[in-house]
C-alpha cells in the first residue's frame, strides 16, 4: 500500500518491483558520484525503481535530472527538501542506498531500518557500526555492505540485494524484522561503555 501510494504520487508505474531510495545531500562525500557511475548498466538490466530526494552540488542535481529523463519509468529525482515526502519514501522503499565515501555517524540508515527498508552501505564509520551485513549462511544481517569503493563493486552488491528480494521473500522478511528491531538507544550504548570500562579496570 505504501509503495503504490508513493508510485502514484511520483508518477511511477504502479507495480511490485524493488523500490530503491536515496534521501541525502547530493554531494561526493555522500557517495552520490559513485552511485551515478554505477547506475546505467544496473538500470538497463534490472526491473527496479529508484527515488532520489535531496539537494546539493549543482552538477550532481543536474545529473539526476538527466537520469530521470533517460529512465522516466524507473527514476524520479525530487530535487528538493521535503520532510513529509522523505517519511513516505522511507516507508515505501525496499532498499535504502547510502554509499558514503566517509560517514562519521549517519542517521538515515537507522531511520530506514526502523521502517524495514534495508540499507546498502559503504562499510565506513557509523555505517559499519550500525548495519550488520547479510550473511547467506547464518541468515544474520540488517542490510548489505561493501568495502571496495568502486562502481562495479557497489553495482554487484545492489544486484545481490535485488535478487534476494525477488527470489527469497522469507529471508527478506527475516532481515526486515532484524533491522526493524535494532536497538540504537543510549541505554544499550551506555551498558556497552560500562562493560568496556569495567574490563579496563581489571
Amino acid at each position: 500500500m505504501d509503495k503504490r501510494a508513493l508510485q502514484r504520487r511520483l508518477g511511477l508505474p504502479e507495480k511490485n518491483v524493488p523500490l530503491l531510495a536515496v534521501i541525502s545531500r547530493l554531494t561526493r562525500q555522500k557517495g552520490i558520484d559513485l552511485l551515478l557511475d554505477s547506475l546505467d548498466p544496473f538500470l538497463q538490466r534490472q526491473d527496479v525503481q529508484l527515488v532520489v530526494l535531496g539537494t546539493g552540488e549543482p552538477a550532481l542535481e543536474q545529473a539526476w535530472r538527466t537520469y530521470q529523463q533517460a529512465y522516466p519509468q524507473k527514476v524520479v529525482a525530487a530535487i528538493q527538501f521535503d520532510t513529509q515526502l522523505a517519511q513516505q519514501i522511507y516507508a515505501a522503499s525496499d532498499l535504502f542506498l547510502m554509499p558514503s565515501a566517509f560517514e562519521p555517524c549517519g542517521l538515515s540508515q537507522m531511520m530506514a531500518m526502523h521502517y524495514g527498508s534495508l540499507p546498502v552501505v559503504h562499510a565506513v564509520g557509523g555505517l559499519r557500526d550500525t548495519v550488520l551485513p547479510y550473511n547467506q549462511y547464518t541468515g544474520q544481517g540488517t542490510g548489505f555492505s561493501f568495502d571496495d569503493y568502486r562502481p562495479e563493486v557497489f553495482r554487484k552488491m545492489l544486484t545481490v540485494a535485488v535478487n534476494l528480494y525477488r527470489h527469497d521473500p522469507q529471508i527478506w522478511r527475516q532481515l526486515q524484522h532484524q533491522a526493524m528491531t535494532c536497538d540504537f538507544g543510549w541505554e544499550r550504548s551506555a551498558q556497552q561503555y560500562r562493560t568496556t570500562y569495567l574490563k579496563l579496570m581489571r
Side-chain angles (χ1 to χ4, degrees), residues 2-185:
D2 290 329
K3 183 183 291 187
R4 292 297 172 94
L6 181 65
Q7 289 168 329
R8 192 175 308 119
R9 174 174 179 173
L10 298 178
L12 286 167
E14 294 182 37
K15 56 182 183 177
N16 186 23
V17 297
L19 180 60
L20 287 57
V22 176
I23 302 172
S24 176
R25 286 185 293 110
L26 304 182
T27 65
R28 285 166 174 76
Q29 184 249 315
K30 295 296 184 180
I32 301 302
D33 53 332
L34 178 75
L35 177 55
L36 287 163
D37 290 342
S38 306
L39 276 182
D40 252 330
F42 180 76
L43 290 174
Q44 289 169 13
R45 296 174 187 149
Q46 298 284 352
D47 187 14
V48 298
Q49 294 174 347
L50 171 64
V51 177
V52 178
L53 174 65
T55 62
E57 297 173 21
L60 296 179
E61 290 183 354
Q62 184 54 46
W64 282 115
R65 293 188 184 99
T66 300
Y67 258 108
Q68 179 173 275
Q69 292 170 356
Y71 297 94
Q73 302 296 301
K74 292 186 174 183
V75 176
V76 169
I79 309 301
Q80 62 193 76
F81 178 82
D82 187 327
T83 55
Q84 192 276 334
L85 178 57
Q87 295 301 316
Q88 190 174 1
I89 293 170
Y90 280 123
S93 60
D94 301 299
L95 287 165
F96 189 83
L97 313 186
M98 204 168 172
S100 301
F102 59 95
E103 191 66 62
C105 178
L107 297 174
S108 297
Q109 78 280 9
M110 291 185 277
M111 289 188 282
M113 285 190 279
H114 175 76
Y115 281 96
S117 181
L118 300 182
V120 183
V121 303
H122 181 213
V124 292
L127 300 178
R128 182 186 292 274
D129 293 338
T130 54
V131 178
L132 179 66
Y134 167 59
N135 184 318
Q136 63 178 320
Y137 303 107
T138 66
Q140 293 181 314
T142 59
F144 307 85
S145 67
F146 63 99
D147 291 295
D148 194 353
Y149 197 70
R150 291 184 292 138
E152 57 269 30
V153 177
F154 182 33
R155 190 162 53 242
K156 181 178 179 180
M157 187 53 62
L158 287 177
T159 302
V160 167
V162 166
N163 285 342
L164 187 68
Y165 172 90
R166 285 202 175 101
H167 302 304
D168 205 331
Q170 183 175 348
I171 291 293
W172 189 266
R173 286 191 294 271
Q174 177 182 328
L175 294 180
Q176 284 183 305
H177 175 75
Q178 290 163 183
M180 294 174 77
T181 54
C182 279
D183 179 9
F184 297 112

